[in-house]
Amino acid sequence: MSTAPVAYGLALPDLAGAARLLHPARGGETTWSVRRVALERVPPPVRTVVGPDRAVLPMGEGNVEVDRLGATTTFTACPPPDDAAVVHPYLAATAATVAWWQGRVALHAGAVVVGGRVWAVLGDRGAGKSTAMYSLVRAGLDLVADDVLVLDGLRVLPGPRCVDLRRESAEHYGAGQDIGVVGRRRRWRVEVPVRLPPGDLELAGLVHLGWADAPAVQDVPLPQRWPALTHALALRLPPADERAPLRLLSLPTVRLLRPRRLEVADDAARLLAGHLLALGERGSPVRRDG
């Protein structure tokens, strides 16, 4: 078994400088190398291309090449990202690409452990996903992923152990270190201590985020699940294994509605945590309004 730190099912020996944000090996990881090439000026933007053995992806200060045969990601940028920036947010693109090559599912989603199993939290940009994830951590749940979730069937491959907040949330909670603009936005990073259960982590169900005047948790009818699920795929490509996302449709799926006011975020998180725990214990949907 590799001793390199791990995220998304990848063993990452070149990212030891950010090992505190990663996980110990669980077994079965793919060893993946990370290279960085420094440029004197920011290169022209590239067009996203994902082929069977190579992907080229844009990033703010340069571009990323993911090489399947060489099991290597190369960041060519001015300046190239340090270990912590590679781990989050830039490693997510590699994770999604490798997952697609391997026939796995990668979702734009956070995730937490409830009752020993994992619940994915899906939300579009602007849906307050990172704030929701941090609120769930504050409610006592262990973080599995903040931004991208990789699934091997129903087995969950944990992401980095941090949440990157926006300014409003960081100021509201008095939390996070200002790490400047990384990727598309300025970030306040909260490093989260995690105590994940031993062995494989299994996906229990999905949570969709939405806005409303008061916190509520509702069951999502089956016809509404597929559009949201396909929209959440991390790569805008048909899955290599078309059956992979279909397996998720039969899982319990709920919607967390809450006001946009940050002072209500913790209440909504506690409502959701209690609902998911009850759902796991009873094995059937329950509706709770706050």
Side-chain angles (χ1 to χ4, degrees), residues 263-279:
E263 60 268 22
V264 188
D266 282 353
D267 292 338
R270 288 190 292 268
L271 176 69
L272 178 63
H275 179 98
L276 298 182
L277 187 59
L279 197 59

Side-chain angles (χ1 to χ4, degrees), residues 162-181:
C162 62
V163 177
D164 283 1
L165 299 173
R166 296 180 184 272
R167 178 193 292 273
E168 296 82 358
S169 297
E171 291 178 349
H172 173 75
Y173 288 118
Q177 177 185 0
D178 184 356
I179 61 172
V181 176

Side-chain angles (χ1 to χ4, degrees), residues 3-289:
T3 59
V6 168
Y8 305 120
L10 304 176
L12 301 158
D14 301 314
L15 299 180
R20 67 189 184 282
L21 303 177
L22 302 171
H23 297 272
R26 288 174 172 259
E29 291 85 8
T30 301
T31 299
W32 203 266
S33 299
V34 173
R35 297 180 60 246
R36 280 159 279 208
V37 177
L39 300 178
E40 293 184 358
R41 63 186 66 183
V42 176
V46 297
R47 183 171 60 92
T48 297
V49 177
V50 180
D53 295 312
R54 178 177 176 270
V56 178
L57 310 161
M59 59 180 286
E61 304 82 11
N63 58 71
V64 185
E65 181 178 344
V66 188
D67 177 8
R68 182 182 188 180
L69 300 180
T72 300
T73 294
T74 301
F75 295 91
T76 303
C78 174
D82 62 15
D83 285 5
V86 171
V87 166
H88 191 51
Y90 293 126
L91 187 63
T94 293
T97 302
V98 175
W100 186 75
W101 283 331
Q102 295 177 335
R104 294 170 171 171
V105 172
L107 301 173
H108 276 303
V112 289
V113 176
V114 183
R117 300 174 71 200
V118 177
W119 284 80
V121 180
L122 283 62
D124 291 336
R125 185 174 300 167
K129 184 158 65 359
S130 289
T131 298
M133 300 315 303
Y134 186 56
S135 297
L136 290 168
V137 169
R138 286 169 55 85
L141 303 182
D142 280 320
L143 181 75
V144 176
D146 171 35
D147 187 50
V148 168
L149 183 65
V150 175
L151 302 171
D152 181 11
L154 296 182
R155 184 168 67 101
V156 176
L157 307 179
R161 303 193 290 187
C162 62
V163 177
D164 283 1
L165 299 173
R166 296 180 184 272
R167 178 193 292 273
E168 296 82 358
S169 297
E171 291 178 349
H172 173 75
Y173 288 118
Q177 177 185 0
D178 184 356
I179 61 172
V181 176
V182 184
R184 297 179 177 179
R185 64 178 176 90
R186 191 169 178 179
R187 297 166 181 267
W188 281 259
R189 175 157 296 174
V190 182
E191 298 183 11
V192 179
V194 176
R195 302 167 300 279
L196 296 180
D200 288 345
L201 298 172
E202 182 183 4
L203 186 68
L206 299 96
V207 178
H208 298 176
L209 295 177
W211 302 112
D213 292 335
V217 182
Q218 303 172 342
D219 183 51
V220 177
L222 186 59
Q224 298 179 19
R225 298 180 185 182
W226 181 247
L229 187 59
T230 55
H231 185 70
L233 292 173
L235 287 184
R236 301 300 188 190
L237 295 170
D241 179 359
E242 295 182 353
R243 298 166 299 176
L246 290 173
R247 299 187 186 104
L248 307 182
L249 290 180
S250 62
L251 296 178
T253 303
V254 301
R255 180 175 289 109
L256 173 65
L257 300 173
R258 73 272 193 239
R260 294 178 183 270
R261 304 191 312 274
L262 285 170
E263 60 268 22
V264 188
D266 282 353
D267 292 338
R270 288 190 292 268
L271 176 69
L272 178 63
H275 179 98
L276 298 182
L277 187 59
L279 197 59
E281 292 173 349
R282 301 175 191 178
S284 60
V286 178
R287 175 174 174 143
R288 296 184 181 179
D289 296 335

